[in-house]
Amino acid sequence: MLKNLDKYKVILASNSPRRKELLSGLGIRYEVKTLPGIEETYPDTLKGEDIPVYIAREKADAYRNAMQPDELIITADTIVWLDGVVMGKPTDEADARTMLRCLSGKTHQVITGVCLTTTGFQKSFATVTDVTFAELTDEEIDYYVERYKPMDKAGSYGIQEWIGFVGVEGIEGSYFNVMGLPIQRLYKELKKL
């Protein structure tokens, strides 16, 4: 599958173990390459889907000057969007607890922006998944934060971890998007190259 990618040296520009796992599941050869110090900021005027797409493009543009003609760079960014507010990665355990309390008993959106870049083109897209959390007790939140240390996850949780098992009542959309890479949509876009 995806023989059309044989003409590219595919590069995943991410340190995320979840993104590596998901991309590996497609059975394509790729390497991981990351640049330090890429800002994950965005203009205040952006909302919803535009935010992670903007950040994914910014990540891709950081590689542009050093790209070779045969390289295809995949960049991504994931946010949690609740009531018009972005929940990124927590700054500390107290922030993680606060985020999880805000998500408790509510439905939020997980939005991942993905950017596919070569020296000749750039294509970006976003995928949105609705996630509904049950009411979480302080004890459950403390247990999760202390044991799973979700400091590298948007919204302070990983759906594939304990909190997802006990706290997620339902999702509408891509489960893998919530993990950090909408792999079904990525597959469709890669087939078009």
Side-chain angles (χ1 to χ4, degrees):
M1 301 304 297
L2 295 174
K3 294 287 185 196
N4 60 318
L5 296 184
D6 289 349
K7 63 187 171 202
Y8 295 112
K9 178 179 174 183
V10 178
I11 298 169
L12 175 63
S14 175
N15 275 324
S16 165
R18 293 161 302 283
R19 288 190 181 123
K20 292 174 195 173
E21 174 189 354
L22 292 171
L23 189 58
S24 293
L26 289 183
I28 60 175
R29 288 189 323 261
Y30 70 94
E31 67 178 65
V32 173
K33 188 186 292 185
T34 58
L35 294 175
I38 297 176
E39 288 292 320
E40 294 191 13
T41 58
Y42 55 91
D44 292 342
T45 55
L46 296 181
K47 302 286 182 219
E49 295 176 34
D50 295 334
I51 295 168
V53 167
Y54 177 89
I55 295 170
R57 282 186 194 139
E58 289 291 300
K59 290 177 180 179
D61 289 346
Y63 289 87
R64 274 235 154 129
N65 290 337
M67 284 184 72
Q68 300 301 310
D70 65 337
E71 290 180 331
L72 168 65
I73 304 252
I74 302 171
T75 56
D77 190 72
T78 301
I79 64 168
V80 168
W81 183 255
L82 176 67
D83 299 329
V85 176
V86 173
M87 294 183 149
K89 296 173 185 171
T91 55
D92 56 28
E93 287 189 4
D95 192 32
R97 286 179 176 88
T98 298
M99 286 186 193
L100 290 169
R101 281 187 198 100
C102 288
L103 296 174
S104 176
K106 296 180 185 165
T107 299
H108 62 275
Q109 287 72 47
V110 175
I111 310 169
T112 301
V114 177
C115 188
L116 305 175
T117 305
T118 69
T119 54
F121 78 90
Q122 188 172 69
K123 160 90 180 187
S124 54
F125 59 89
T127 299
V128 180
T129 303
D130 290 334
V131 180
T132 302
F133 263 96
E135 289 285 343
L136 300 170
T137 66
D138 284 344
E139 181 182 23
E140 290 166 333
I141 291 170
D142 289 344
Y143 176 87
Y144 177 68
V145 171
E146 289 167 13
R147 284 172 182 71
Y148 290 87
K149 308 289 185 204
M151 310 313 288
D152 64 335
K153 297 173 180 73
S156 304
Y157 78 93
I159 194 167
Q160 72 281 5
E161 296 174 338
W162 183 84
I163 199 83
F165 303 155
V166 303
V168 173
E169 287 186 331
I171 67 168
E172 186 174 325
S174 169
Y175 172 84
F176 299 111
N177 182 53
V178 183
M179 284 181 64
L181 194 64
I183 201 70
Q184 302 96 336
R185 174 75 188 274
L186 177 59
Y187 175 75
K188 287 178 186 176
E189 297 297 334
L190 290 172
K191 278 179 30 176
K192 296 176 189 176
L193 298 181

